[in-house]
Amino acid sequence: VCVLALAALALRNAQRKSSRTQAAVPLEPEAPGLAEPPTRFSEGYVHIERVGGRIVFELMSERTLGSDSGWIEIQNVVLQLYTADGERAPRLTCERAQYNMRTRETNLIGGVQVEFDDGSFITTDFGRVRRGGTEFEADSDIYFVGRAVAGSAGRARYDLDTGRLTLDDGLVVRSDTGDSIQAPRMNFDRSDRKAVFPDGLTVRFGLATLQAARGTVDLAEDSDTPEAVAFGGGVRMAVRNRETLQLITGRSESMSATRDAAGRWQVVVDRGRVPQS
């Protein structure tokens, strides 16, 4: 989603520049009596954006449509991003992209997908750029597949000023081992790889269920694997014995855990009793 926002902004800049230098067919004056303003049409749109000689992105599409209403639409879009070192970054594809030259709105429409080098990807049906190009927002269903997790949410927002990604409205994340997290909202800071759940969360793993009023999860730098967790504001835990199916419950004010070098979790409990499986 972060990349969706960057891609939308890059698209906006490309359209702004191309409207001055690359539009092969000029806009014609509106003909009297027409219900819609006439459109311009061009095939094989390609734009390469460079800063200081370094490639920032390559934008390609099959065709471009524009009108006197101020909207420019490009179809079957492929946007290849590059890192500061000139390496290929994630690639964005979508069926259509719209940019309004007057209001500076940017819309991505239909089959929006961001593909990463490791095979993970994010998809949605519609996205838009707001606040003068500093915030990406998507209100359609968001689906994401990572290296070890998959999930969905009803809404996503990314603030370029703060670098914060927010997923909410029915957020569900599942790991490839069957563990899951459900939460009303998650704030993810990409710089320190920390996911914050300020409105509570429910975690299910194995035969155990944990509920907390708030929580944080720290992810490893090179993977989606949690390496530290912290829960607070009141923690409830229930564990079912695998052999007898007896349910054991416990409560605690807070609870934290870190993964050691052998992959085992070291748990610290603050007041109360949490069952040991």
Side-chain angles (χ1 to χ4, degrees):
V1 176
C2 165
V3 176
L4 284 175
L6 295 176
L9 292 176
L11 175 62
R12 185 197 68 181
N13 293 333
Q15 291 295 337
R16 181 183 301 166
K17 179 174 293 187
S18 65
S19 67
R20 298 195 303 267
T21 62
Q22 292 185 255
V25 182
L27 289 172
E28 298 181 2
E30 183 175 350
L34 288 179
E36 295 291 337
T39 60
R40 64 181 182 181
F41 173 85
S42 62
E43 291 276 5
Y45 182 87
V46 177
H47 176 80
I48 299 177
E49 181 76 7
R50 287 184 171 89
V51 175
R54 177 179 64 84
I55 296 180
V56 178
F57 65 82
E58 293 177 287
L59 175 65
M60 297 156 282
S61 70
E62 289 188 0
R63 61 186 60 86
T64 303
L65 303 172
S67 74
D68 285 338
S69 66
W71 283 101
I72 292 176
E73 177 176 307
I74 62 176
Q75 300 177 349
N76 295 333
V77 181
V78 178
L79 182 66
Q80 176 65 60
L81 303 177
Y82 288 83
T83 67
D85 298 328
E87 300 293 331
R88 283 179 177 264
R91 185 180 74 159
L92 179 144
T93 58
C94 64
E95 296 172 6
R96 294 187 294 144
Q98 297 176 332
Y99 171 64
N100 192 302
M101 299 176 62
R102 298 174 180 174
T103 65
R104 298 185 178 181
E105 294 177 77
T106 303
N107 297 328
L108 303 173
I109 303 170
V112 180
Q113 178 162 311
V114 179
E115 304 170 1
F116 299 86
D117 292 340
D118 62 2
S120 60
F121 59 88
I122 299 170
T123 64
T124 187
D125 290 329
F126 176 78
R128 58 184 176 272
V129 176
R130 310 185 62 150
R131 291 194 334 172
T134 63
E135 183 178 88
F136 173 81
E137 185 176 77
D139 291 328
S140 59
D141 290 341
I142 307 294
Y143 299 95
F144 50 93
V145 176
R147 286 165 289 189
V149 299
S152 61
R155 183 167 52 212
R157 294 184 303 280
Y158 183 73
D159 192 319
L160 293 178
D161 291 336
T162 63
R164 172 181 288 185
L165 167 67
T166 299
L167 297 172
D168 56 13
D169 190 13
L171 172 66
V172 179
V173 183
R174 292 184 175 87
S175 72
D176 55 6
T177 60
D179 303 337
S180 69
I181 294 178
Q182 290 180 272
R185 178 162 55 109
M186 180 185 74
N187 297 325
F188 181 59
D189 191 324
R190 295 184 60 85
S191 61
D192 62 6
R193 303 281 293 167
K194 183 186 292 292
V196 179
F197 301 88
D199 303 322
L201 74 165
T202 299
V203 182
R204 293 182 173 87
F205 52 99
L207 297 178
T209 300
L210 182 147
Q211 293 179 307
R214 60 180 180 271
T216 62
V217 178
D218 294 299
L219 302 180
E221 185 66 30
D222 58 350
S223 70
D224 297 325
T225 305
E227 57 182 12
V229 298
F231 307 107
V235 181
R236 293 184 297 172
M237 188 171 181
V239 179
R240 191 171 295 278
N241 185 285
R242 188 178 300 275
E243 297 180 357
T244 67
L245 298 182
Q246 179 184 4
L247 185 65
I248 305 173
T249 61
R251 300 177 63 89
S252 173
E253 178 61 28
S254 66
M255 174 182 172
S256 62
T258 56
R259 190 189 298 270
D260 62 21
R264 296 184 298 264
W265 286 96
Q266 305 299 319
V267 180
V268 177
V269 178
D270 179 20
R271 295 205 311 264
R273 180 179 62 87
V274 172
Q276 302 295 320
S277 58

